[in-house]
């Protein structure tokens, strides 16, 4: 690598260099070595400069370093020489090795090996070994150090114990680089390692253990690795020997190697699994050992549990292992004391007083084990352990039970969802009755965690118990419990349908306002967050409390001065914005200017770097934008400059050598990762600020559309380069999500003839075309490089949305899109096939298959979003795009229709062809070429065991019935039979099947509407279909079908109501069920407001056009509740 020449040295400095490099004397050189570690900055800086100038004479400098290493009497000089020699040969950006004369290189290699033999100081010997290993890693493969391996083998077999240790450490270091070249010597190496593992010196045994682990990790072939499996008992004895000798430092070193081995090749330990797991469990359970030792043994076991991808079922099937590990981890949770500072904590994040290191380890590992092993393995252990703990007199055991329950929830979701009330009951009981504040806090924490993990089902099924429990906890004597109850209310409300919250709103608001007025600062902050969350949930229903709440919030904003109240002020900002967004523009308008001016004034005052108000303020502006819409545009000049600055901030990354220390390892704002011998420290707060800002920009573009035009170009120029910002996933996700919104904003500006302030010209099609060209090709290119499967799916989703917005303008990019689709799908199929190999392992079973399906879900999402892209292209370009899509359809999609493919793959293929039939069935008949190949798998899919496949299939039948006209008519009898089989199945109304069933009813309606001529006895089938209505479970399909019913009635369908309108009562029953729901949330509404209005109009027409007795008879068929509902809806 080239670098600028150094400037000429002054005469005095030249003399210093000459003295240092005098080959006849080490005096000046040793003085330089001492100066490099001087505490005096000036001396150290001068010596560093001299040393750097010496690099201009690399041969002389390196030989001086070797002489000092080999002959200096002072230990510190030899040690410094070993450090500097390693640095200039292997660590510096520009290594001196390549610039050395061959004879110098040979001399250095020889002296390094002699130093390994003769150096008596262990720390220096270690550094020499490191230098030998790193130098050999760079030159051995080129045949430039042939004498090294024979030397190392000789040292290990014939040398003294210290030399054996050194040689084994070099072997371990070289394993990564020379592993495969050592394959011919594996038998010899095996014998040497086996012998060294029996050595009486613990350091030799540890070095041998390290070498074993490194070779196993380095060898690519499983058969080669298996040759070392019989060494495991001796490796384990090395660990046992250290523990028996009370040498826990060596034991922890050995355990660290076992942890690395478990992570790199978990199946390596399988032949000795029972023995090694029992040993590690014994260490983890041993109360007299240091926490660090117990934690490393636990980490080994948990790492094996997490290795389901390479050793599926291995740990789960080990007799009694999971219960033993669960009980051990739960016992770790007893490492907690009733510290007075916990009760007096001022901040929630400072509230972990009394929690020991084992407590933290237990929490973390319970979570990991539950995720790794799943509900079937972990829940029985919890059921056997937790009830007894929850009844114990020792508060710590009751506390541990509730903490364990919360920690396993995420991994045990599938099992807990079968009985959500049972899952939360221990927490509800404890929060109401336990005498100890820390137990009640843990109970509240469990409620909050379960609301997150089991929502929304938990909220829907058990809101009547949970809300009163949290309201009661808000009156707890402990301010910690009060505050945490308010925080748990946030978890509850985020997943709770508003209808379940509504009856409790008065109580909640009274309680939260009381907490705000008289509570502890921690309580006030939590109450503000809860208030904001409830407003967000209640939306317009919150208007009732607006007049009381907003003045109170404004008062906090003004009064919360001083550093100690910064978080209170920040949460007040958050709450005001959520309240405004909840009640809506019309209600908020009267206060909007005052609030905006207050926030503007607050922002102008500036914030310190560690003030969270900055982030809260950015998010608040965004919510107020959503509330005010276009009225927010004047404030963009206030919010955009700092927001763009945050979005454009550079990552704060520092790269250092691992050996250079870890000053920021304890800094919570810094994430440290190690890659090879480099240590990469990333300041996460900077990345989080950037991610938040990028997400906020997405919101502004989405909300303001053409009103955002003045900032559209700088935002696009900011976001597009972030598509490959690999430091932070959320930044990439925001960049990906922003692109369709950017196009949409530009398109809206064109449609409304907005003047672009940057050019003074009206936005036209050429501008939108340039915008498409600016964002779509980089998105395609980013997809090609994206390593995360989840973000690949997001990129495909974004591409689908971009295609939908661009419409015709996407045409010129289709070639590149399809080429990348092929590469992305190929990669996904390869990853899927690699995972499927696990099914051939000895421990694989039904439960592992479920886990495998869960992992493959990410790949299904990639294919799902590919299907959305195809659908979007078809919607934008119709049948014209089919020739371009043909290779994809033929190569990737059509084969997925095969019954041998997974249900997820079959569903995706059916969805793609559903879209082909729906959007490419024009007069050209282009879609008909796929009909013969699709109709069979589609009709077969209607009877598939998988409900999602059935749903996609029955939907496709409806699509074809509506879109293909006479071309579908020959298939109507088979389609009717398929729909009848789905609808009439004994379990058709079960929770898992209801969506497929209701989609089948919808498709039957389409057959009736569009294929009536081919329906046998339509006068019987049509009323039968009407009797299947209303749909009530799949609300999306319900709105479609009920609109279809209205459409058919408006056309005076000849068969639907019967010749004498004898089926009118069935239609009124549908109306009476659907109309009252029109104003509810999407989860609950069965018809739109428009459909409701058309239903009212139909009833009015019938009342005016049918005999009164006909209407009265039909009305009488409804029960009293339906009659009242219909009358109310008609009012």
């Amino acid at each position: 690598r080239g670098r600028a020449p150094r400037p000429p040295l002054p005469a005095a400095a030249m003399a210093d260099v000459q003295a240092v490099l005098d080959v006849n004397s080490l005096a000046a050189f040793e003085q330089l070595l001492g100066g490099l570690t001087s505490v005096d900055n000036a001396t150290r800086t001068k010596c560093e400069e001299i040393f750097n100038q010496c690099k201009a004479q690399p041969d002389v400098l390196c030989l001086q370093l070797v002489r000092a290493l080999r002959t200096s009497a002072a230990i510190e000089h030899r040690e410094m020489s070993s450090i500097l020699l390693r640095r200039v040969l292997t660590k510096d950006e520009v290594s001196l090795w390549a610039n050395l004369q061959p004879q110098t290189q040979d001399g250095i290699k020889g002296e390094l090996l002699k130093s390994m033999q003769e150096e008596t100081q262990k720390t220096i010997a270690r550094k020499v070994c490191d230098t030998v290993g790193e130098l050999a890693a760079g030159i051995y493969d080129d045949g430039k150090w042939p004498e090294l391996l024979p030397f190392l083998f000789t040292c290990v077999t014939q040398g003294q114990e210290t030399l054996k240790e050194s040689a084994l450490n070099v072997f371990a270091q070289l394993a990564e680089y020379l592993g495969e070249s050592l394959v011919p010597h594996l038998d010899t190496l095996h014998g040497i390692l086996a012998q060294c593992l029996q050595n009486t010196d613990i350091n030799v045994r540890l070095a041998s253990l390290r070498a074993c682990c490194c070779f196993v990790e380095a060898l690519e072939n499983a058969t080669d690795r298996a040759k070392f499996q019989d060494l495991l008992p001796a490796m384990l004895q090395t660990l046992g020997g250290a523990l028996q000798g009370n040498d826990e430092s060596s034991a922890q070193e050995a355990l660290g190697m076992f942890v690395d081995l478990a992570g790199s090749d978990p199946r390596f330990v399988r032949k000795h699994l029972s023995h090694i797991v029992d040993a590690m469990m014994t260490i983890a359970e041993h109360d007299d050992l240091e926490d660090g030792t117990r934690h490393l043994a636990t980490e080994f076991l948990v790492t094996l549990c997490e290795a389901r991808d390479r050793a599926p079922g291995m740990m789960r099937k080990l007799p009694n292992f999971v219960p033993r590990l669960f009980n051990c981890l739960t016992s770790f949770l007893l490492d907690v004391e009733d510290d007075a500072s916990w009760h007096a904590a001022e901040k929630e994040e400072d509230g972990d007083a009394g929690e020991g290191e084992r407590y933290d380890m237990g929490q973390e590992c319970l979570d990991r084990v539950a995720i790794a092993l799943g509900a079937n393995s972990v829940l029985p252990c919890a059921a056997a352990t937790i009830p007894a703990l929850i009844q114990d007199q020792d508060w710590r055991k009751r506390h541990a039970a509730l903490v364990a329950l919360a920690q396993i929830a995420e991994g045990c979701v599938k099992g807990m969802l079968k009985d959500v009330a049972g899952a939360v009951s221990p927490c509800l009981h404890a929060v109401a009755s336990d005498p100890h504040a820390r137990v009640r806090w843990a109970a509240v924490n469990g409620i909050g965690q379960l609301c997150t993990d089991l929502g929304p089902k938990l909220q829907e099924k058990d809101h009547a118990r949970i809300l009163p429990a949290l309201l009661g906890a808000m009156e707890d004597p402990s301010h910690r419990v009060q505050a945490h109850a308010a925080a748990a209310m946030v978890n509850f409300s985020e997943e709770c349908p508003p209808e379940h919250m509504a009856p409790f709103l008065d109580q909640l608001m009274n309680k939260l306002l009381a907490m705000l007025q008289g509570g502890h600062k921690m309580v006030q902050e939590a109450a503000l967050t809860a208030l904001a969350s409830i407003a967000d949930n209640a939306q317009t229903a919150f208007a009732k409390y607006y007049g009381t709440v907003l003045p109170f919030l404004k008062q906090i904003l003004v009064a919360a001065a001083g550093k100690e109240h910064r978080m209170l002020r920040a949460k007040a900002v958050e709450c005001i914005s959520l309240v405004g967004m909840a009640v809506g523009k019309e209600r908020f308008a009267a206060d909007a200017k005052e609030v905006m001016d207050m926030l503007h004034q607050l922002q102008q005052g500036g914030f310190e770097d560690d003030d969270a108000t900055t982030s809260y303020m950015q998010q608040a502006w965004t919510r107020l934008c959503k509330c005010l819409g276009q009225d927010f545009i004047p404030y963009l000049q206030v919010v955009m400059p700092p927001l763009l600055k945050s979005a454009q901030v550079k990552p704060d990354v520092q790269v250092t050598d691992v050996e250079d220390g870890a000053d920021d390892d304890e800094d919570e704002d810094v994430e440290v990762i190690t890659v090879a011998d480099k240590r990469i420290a990333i300041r996460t707060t900077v990345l989080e600020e950037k991610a938040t800002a990028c997400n906020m920009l997405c919101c502004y573009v989405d909300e303001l559309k053409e009103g955002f035009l003045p900032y559209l170009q700088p935002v696009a120029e900011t976001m597009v380069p972030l598509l490959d910002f690999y430091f932070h996933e959320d930044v990439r996700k925001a960049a990906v999500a922003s692109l369709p919104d950017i196009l949409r904003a530009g398109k809206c500006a064109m449609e409304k003839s907005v003047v672009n302030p940057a050019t003074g010209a009206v936005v036209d099609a050429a501008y939108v075309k340039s915008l498409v060209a600016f964002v779509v090709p980089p998105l395609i290119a980013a997809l090609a490089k994206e390593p995360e499967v989840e973000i690949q799916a997001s990129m495909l989703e974004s591409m689908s949305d971009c295609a939908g917005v661009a419409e015709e303008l996407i045409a010129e990019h289709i070639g590149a899109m399809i080429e990348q689709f092929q590469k992305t799908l190929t990669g996904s199929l390869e990853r899927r096939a690699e995972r499927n190999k696990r099914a051939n392992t000895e421990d694989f079973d039904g439960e592992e298959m479920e886990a495998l399906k869960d992992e493959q879900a990410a790949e299904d999402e990639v294919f799902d979003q590919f299907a959305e892209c195809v659908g979007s292209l078809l919607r934008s370009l119709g049948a014209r795009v089919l020739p371009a899509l043909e290779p994809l359809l033929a190569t990737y999609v059509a084969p997925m229709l095969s019954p041998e493919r997974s249900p997820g793959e079959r569903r995706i293929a059916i969805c793609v062809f559903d879209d082909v039939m729906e959007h490419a069935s024009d007069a050209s008949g282009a879609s008909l070429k796929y009909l013969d190949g699709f109709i069979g798998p589609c009709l077969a899919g209607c009877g598939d065991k998988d409900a999602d496949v059935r749903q996609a299939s029955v939907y496709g039948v409806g699509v074809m019935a509506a879109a293909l006209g006479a071309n579908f008519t020959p298939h109507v009898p088979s389609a009717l039979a398929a729909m009848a089989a789905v609808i009439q199945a004994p379990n058709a109304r079960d929770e898992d099947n209801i969506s497929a069933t209701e989609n089948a009813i919808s498709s039957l309606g389409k057959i009736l509407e569009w294929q009536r001529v081919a329906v046998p006895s339509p006068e019987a089938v049509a009323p039968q279909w009407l009797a299947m209505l209303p749909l009530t479970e799949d609300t999306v399909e319900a709105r479609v079908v009920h609109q279809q019913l209205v459409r058919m009635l408006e056309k005076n369908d000849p068969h639907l109501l019967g010749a004498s309108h004898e089926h009118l009562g069935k239609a009124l029953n549908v109306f009476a069920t659907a109309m009252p729901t029109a104003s509810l949330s999407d989860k609950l509404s069965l018809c739109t407001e428009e459909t409701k209005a058309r239903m009212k109009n139909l009833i009015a027409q019938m009342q005016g056009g049918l005999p009164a007795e006909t209407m009265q008879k039909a009305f009488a068929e409804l029960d009293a509740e339906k009659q009242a509902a219909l009358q109310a809806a008609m009012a």
Side-chain angles (χ1 to χ4, degrees):
R1 209 176 297 180
R3 70 168 35 168
R6 293 187 176 93
L9 288 174
M14 180 68 76
D16 288 337
V17 171
Q18 289 175 344
V20 165
L21 297 181
D22 183 357
V23 296
N24 297 312
S25 171
L26 277 178
F29 193 78
E30 288 180 335
Q31 187 177 359
L32 175 72
L33 294 176
L36 287 169
T37 58
S38 172
V39 295
D40 180 68
N41 286 337
T43 301
R44 191 172 64 254
T45 300
K46 179 182 177 183
C47 290
E48 287 172 353
E49 179 57 34
I50 292 172
F51 185 80
N52 286 331
Q53 294 296 340
C54 289
K55 292 179 182 178
Q57 301 178 56
D59 289 85
V60 183
L61 173 61
C62 290
L63 289 174
Q64 286 291 77
L65 285 168
V66 170
R67 288 191 190 100
L69 170 67
R70 300 285 290 121
T71 64
S72 284
I75 293 173
E76 61 270 21
H77 291 158
R78 296 207 307 279
E79 185 166 13
M80 193 64 187
S81 294
S82 69
I83 293 170
L84 293 174
L85 184 63
R86 180 186 179 196
R87 185 170 293 168
V88 300
L89 294 182
T90 68
K91 292 290 184 184
D92 279 353
E93 186 178 356
V94 180
S95 168
L96 297 185
W97 179 260
N99 297 326
L100 299 178
Q101 297 295 320
Q103 61 269 30
T104 304
Q105 293 178 340
D106 290 341
I108 290 171
K109 289 185 292 185
E111 290 299 324
L112 284 172
L113 298 187
K114 287 181 182 177
S115 181
M116 278 183 62
Q117 292 174 299
E118 299 171 4
E119 179 56 61
T120 57
Q121 286 296 315
K122 194 163 187 175
T123 56
I124 300 174
R126 277 280 179 97
K127 290 179 173 62
V128 171
C129 289
D130 288 340
T131 305
V132 170
E134 289 171 14
L135 183 60
I139 66 174
Y140 184 84
D141 277 350
D142 296 332
K144 294 181 179 177
W145 206 344
E147 65 274 22
L148 177 61
L149 276 186
F151 169 81
L152 292 176
F153 277 119
T154 300
C155 291
V156 173
T157 54
Q158 301 174 19
Q160 297 295 316
E161 268 58 32
T162 53
L163 187 55
K164 287 181 179 178
E165 179 190 355
S166 294
L168 286 166
N169 284 332
V170 175
F171 265 129
Q173 198 169 353
L174 289 177
E176 179 183 354
Y177 307 99
L178 309 183
E180 292 305 305
S181 63
L182 287 170
V183 169
H185 309 287
L186 285 186
D187 290 339
T188 303
L189 194 59
H190 177 278
I192 290 171
L193 293 173
Q195 184 178 6
C196 289
L197 283 168
Q198 304 296 330
N199 197 285
T200 56
D201 189 315
I202 183 64
N203 292 315
V204 174
R205 296 204 302 275
L206 284 170
S208 183
L209 173 59
R210 183 181 299 106
C212 283
C213 292
C214 290
F215 280 120
V216 170
E217 291 174 36
L219 292 170
E220 294 180 5
N221 187 286
T223 305
D224 291 336
R225 293 196 298 272
K227 292 178 180 177
F228 292 86
Q229 283 182 338
D230 64 336
L231 297 181
L232 264 171
M235 294 164 69
L236 199 57
Q237 286 172 5
T238 299
L239 169 61
L243 289 172
Q244 289 168 5
N246 295 319
D247 183 1
E248 289 203 50
S249 175
S250 296
Q252 288 177 18
E253 189 177 351
L255 283 165
M257 298 175 208
F258 275 104
V259 171
D260 291 341
L261 183 61
S264 63
D265 187 11
R267 292 180 58 77
F268 181 77
V269 303
R270 192 176 187 282
K271 284 188 177 179
H272 303 276
L273 185 65
S274 181
H275 180 47
I276 197 169
V277 165
D278 182 65
M280 292 295 184
M281 279 298 327
T282 301
I283 295 170
E285 293 164 339
H286 203 299
D287 289 335
D288 294 333
L289 294 175
E290 294 175 9
D291 282 351
T293 305
R294 299 176 71 182
H295 293 174
L296 283 165
T298 305
E299 182 62 35
F300 172 83
L301 296 167
V302 175
T303 300
L304 286 181
C305 291
E306 291 176 325
R308 290 183 85 163
D309 56 332
R310 287 162 293 166
M314 185 174 77
M315 300 304 286
R316 186 171 48 77
K317 290 189 172 184
L318 196 61
N320 199 42
F321 164 67
V322 181
R324 191 176 173 188
L325 178 62
F326 182 87
N327 290 339
C328 176
L329 295 177
T330 304
S331 74
F332 281 9
L333 299 177
L334 301 179
D335 183 23
V336 59
E337 300 298 331
D338 194 13
D339 196 310
S341 59
W342 182 91
H343 297 274
E346 293 289 325
K347 299 178 182 177
E348 189 67 53
E349 56 266 30
D350 298 335
D352 56 0
E355 296 170 4
E357 291 184 3
R358 282 200 313 282
Y359 178 90
D360 293 337
M361 187 72 177
Q363 270 197 310
E364 177 196 333
C365 291
L366 279 168
D367 179 43
R368 290 166 60 191
V369 167
I371 291 171
L373 300 185
N376 289 346
S377 295
V378 175
L379 279 184
C381 304
T385 302
I386 287 178
L389 291 175
I390 209 89
Q391 298 295 330
D392 201 278
Q393 292 298 308
D394 185 345
W395 74 267
R396 297 180 310 148
K397 291 184 179 179
R398 302 196 302 276
H399 182 268
L402 295 168
V403 171
L405 183 63
Q407 291 304 111
I408 65 172
E410 181 183 356
C412 295
V413 165
K414 285 186 177 179
M416 287 183 168
L417 282 173
K418 295 175 183 176
D419 180 17
V420 291
V424 79
S425 286
C427 298
L428 295 176
H429 175 74
V431 76
S433 62
D434 201 279
H436 202 288
R438 292 196 76 149
V439 178
R440 296 195 301 278
W441 184 95
V444 170
N445 185 67
I447 293 171
Q449 188 65 52
L450 292 170
C451 285
T452 296
D453 292 328
L454 306 183
K457 186 174 181 180
L458 177 61
Q459 287 88 326
E460 291 168 356
K461 299 287 186 184
D462 219 9
H463 56 275
R465 288 199 303 160
I466 295 173
L467 281 168
L470 291 179
L471 278 164
M474 290 180 191
E475 297 179 346
D476 195 275
S478 166
H479 77 271
R480 294 293 311 275
V481 178
Q482 289 180 33
H484 215 49
M489 187 61 71
V490 175
N491 299 68
F492 179 88
S493 64
E494 283 177 346
E495 291 280 353
C496 184
E499 293 78 14
H500 297 318
M501 289 280 286
F504 295 89
L505 280 179
D506 285 349
Q507 288 175 269
L508 282 168
M509 293 306 302
N510 290 336
K511 176 47 58 185
L512 290 172
L513 289 171
M515 293 167 77
L516 282 171
Q517 289 170 322
H520 186 281
K521 183 163 66 72
M522 180 193 288
V523 174
Q524 290 178 314
E525 291 173 3
L528 275 174
T529 305
L531 188 65
S533 182
I534 289 168
D536 191 36
N537 179 283
Q539 291 297 298
T540 53
F542 195 81
K544 175 181 177 181
Y545 313 102
Y546 178 79
T548 304
V549 170
L550 192 69
F552 195 76
L553 295 174
K554 289 191 290 188
Q555 182 184 348
I556 294 175
L557 210 56
V558 172
K563 194 168 185 176
E564 70 278 11
H565 290 111
R566 291 191 312 193
M567 185 53 71
L568 191 65
R569 182 181 63 188
K571 288 182 179 289
V573 168
E574 173 187 54
C575 196
I576 286 174
S577 62
L578 278 164
V579 166
M581 198 165 71
V583 300
K585 178 178 176 179
E586 186 176 337
R587 183 69 193 272
F588 186 62
D591 298 289
K593 187 177 188 311
E594 181 188 2
V595 168
M596 304 289 273
D597 289 345
M598 289 174 74
L599 296 184
H600 185 197
Q601 186 177 355
L602 191 59
Q603 182 165 301
Q604 282 185 316
F607 305 109
E608 296 179 31
D609 290 343
D610 62 342
D611 190 345
T613 310
T614 304
S615 173
Y616 279 82
M617 184 74 79
Q618 286 183 350
Q619 295 177 62
W621 283 124
T622 308
R623 294 188 198 101
L624 292 170
C625 173
K626 285 182 175 294
C627 173
L628 299 176
Q630 299 295 311
D631 290 348
F632 185 84
I633 291 172
Y635 294 94
L636 284 175
Q637 59 185 337
V638 175
V639 302
M640 285 303 296
L643 194 58
L644 279 170
K645 182 180 177 183
S646 292
Q648 293 165 355
V649 69
K650 302 295 183 187
D652 183 355
V653 180
Q654 293 184 337
V655 181
T656 58
D657 288 339
V658 170
E659 64 187 29
D660 288 346
D663 294 339
D664 45 20
D665 275 358
E666 299 302 316
D667 189 339
E668 292 182 356
D669 294 333
V670 174
E671 181 178 340
V672 178
I673 56 174
T674 301
V675 179
D677 60 351
K678 295 298 181 184
R679 188 173 161 281
I680 304 171
I682 306 171
R683 188 158 294 278
T684 54
T685 47
V686 173
L687 298 181
E688 285 158 9
E689 175 192 347
K690 187 180 185 77
T692 299
C694 290
N695 278 304
M696 299 304 100
L697 288 174
C698 289
C699 294
Y700 286 122
V701 181
D702 176 45
E703 184 63 36
L704 298 177
K705 296 183 174 60
E706 73 279 0
F708 196 73
L709 186 63
Y711 299 96
L712 200 57
Q713 197 64 35
V715 167
E717 291 169 357
T718 298
M719 290 302 210
V720 168
L722 297 178
L723 290 169
D724 55 6
F725 186 84
Y726 298 115
F727 290 109
H728 201 288
E729 288 184 11
D730 287 346
V731 173
R732 296 207 303 286
K733 288 178 182 176
V736 169
S738 72
L739 302 187
D741 292 329
I742 288 170
L743 294 185
R744 203 172 280 111
K747 185 177 179 181
C748 287
M750 177 193 72
E751 291 170 348
K752 297 183 180 180
S753 301
V754 177
V755 174
N756 187 345
T759 63
V762 172
V763 172
D764 56 10
Y767 174 85
V768 178
K769 183 177 182 180
S770 68
L771 211 51
V772 171
F774 186 75
V775 304
V776 171
L779 179 58
I780 297 170
L783 176 59
K785 299 180 289 183
E786 177 53 51
E788 296 294 330
V789 175
E790 180 188 351
I791 299 181
Q792 287 182 21
S794 297
M795 288 178 165
L796 287 167
E797 182 180 14
S798 179
M799 214 174 288
S800 168
D801 205 358
C802 286
V805 176
E807 296 181 315
E808 295 283 342
L809 297 176
I810 201 67
E812 63 187 77
H813 305 286
I814 285 176
M817 289 173 70
I818 288 176
E819 182 181 348
Q820 187 51 50
F821 288 163
Q822 291 175 316
K823 294 176 181 176
T824 300
L825 296 181
T826 298
S828 179
L829 289 171
E830 288 172 354
R831 291 190 298 271
R832 191 188 296 269
E834 186 64 31
R835 285 196 195 94
N836 285 336
K837 290 179 182 177
R838 283 154 51 183
N840 300 322
T841 58
E842 53 270 71
D843 295 314
F844 197 84
D845 59 13
E847 188 165 340
E848 291 303 320
M849 177 57 79
E850 286 301 312
L852 181 60
K853 287 178 181 176
D854 289 343
E855 291 178 40
Q856 299 288 33
E859 304 297 349
D860 286 346
E861 184 64 16
V862 168
F863 270 82
D864 264 330
Q865 295 304 332
F866 156 71
E868 289 295 327
C869 284
V870 171
S872 186
L873 290 172
L874 287 164
R875 284 187 290 274
S876 292
L877 300 172
R880 288 177 298 145
V881 79
L882 276 181
L885 291 173
E886 170 62 30
L888 286 174
L889 296 176
T891 305
Y892 294 95
V893 183
M896 288 164 56
L897 292 169
S898 168
E900 287 76 34
R901 301 298 282 267
S902 73
E905 292 171 304
R906 295 201 305 277
R907 174 186 56 78
I908 290 162
I910 290 167
C911 287
V912 169
F913 282 110
D914 285 353
D915 279 332
V916 170
M917 297 302 168
E918 188 168 5
H919 304 295
S921 295
D922 60 8
S924 69
S927 66
L928 294 177
K929 67 179 289 186
Y930 301 103
L931 178 59
D932 289 343
F934 178 53
I935 189 68
C938 185
L939 290 172
C942 295
D944 199 278
K945 292 180 180 179
D946 185 89
D948 291 333
V949 174
R950 288 202 305 278
Q951 181 171 344
S953 300
V954 298
Y955 178 83
V957 168
V959 163
M960 289 187 284
L964 299 185
N967 293 293
F968 185 75
T969 300
H971 304 289
V972 167
S974 300
L976 287 171
M979 297 306 99
V982 174
I983 295 165
Q984 295 169 4
N987 58 352
R989 292 279 168 182
D990 287 359
E991 184 176 353
D992 291 341
N993 300 322
I994 190 64
S995 288
T997 300
E998 296 199 336
N999 271 265
I1001 294 170
S1002 174
S1003 291
L1004 176 58
K1006 291 186 177 75
I1007 294 171
L1008 277 168
E1009 186 173 9
W1010 303 104
Q1011 299 286 339
R1012 185 72 60 95
V1013 66
V1015 175
S1017 306
E1019 68 283 355
V1021 176
Q1024 288 172 0
W1025 174 72
L1026 178 58
M1028 297 171 189
L1029 307 182
L1031 304 188
T1032 56
E1033 299 300 322
D1034 185 338
T1035 55
V1036 174
E1037 202 60 31
R1039 290 190 286 272
V1040 172
V1041 173
H1042 298 154
Q1043 183 184 46
Q1044 180 191 5
L1045 172 63
V1046 168
R1047 185 170 63 245
M1048 292 169 73
L1049 289 172
E1050 287 172 339
K1051 294 178 180 177
N1052 295 314
D1053 187 281
H1055 302 122
L1056 201 56
L1057 297 182
S1060 303
H1061 293 86
E1062 61 269 25
H1063 304 301
L1064 176 57
K1066 295 174 183 175
L1068 293 181
N1069 180 58
V1070 177
F1071 290 4
T1073 305
M1075 291 171 70
T1077 70
S1079 60
L1080 299 180
S1081 63
D1082 283 348
K1083 287 184 178 180
L1084 298 172
S1085 67
L1086 304 179
C1087 71
T1088 63
E1089 290 284 2
E1090 182 206 355
T1091 302
K1092 176 183 175 180
R1094 291 166 67 184
M1095 287 177 174
K1096 288 176 69 172
N1097 191 45
L1098 275 170
I1099 294 173
Q1101 289 177 10
M1102 291 173 185
Q1103 287 173 331
L1106 293 177
E1109 59 272 17
T1110 301
M1111 290 298 297
Q1112 289 168 1
K1113 182 180 177 183
F1115 193 71
E1117 292 178 23
L1118 306 180
D1119 60 33
E1121 184 179 347
K1122 292 284 177 67
Q1123 289 180 4
L1126 194 59
Q1127 288 172 341
M1130 289 296 294

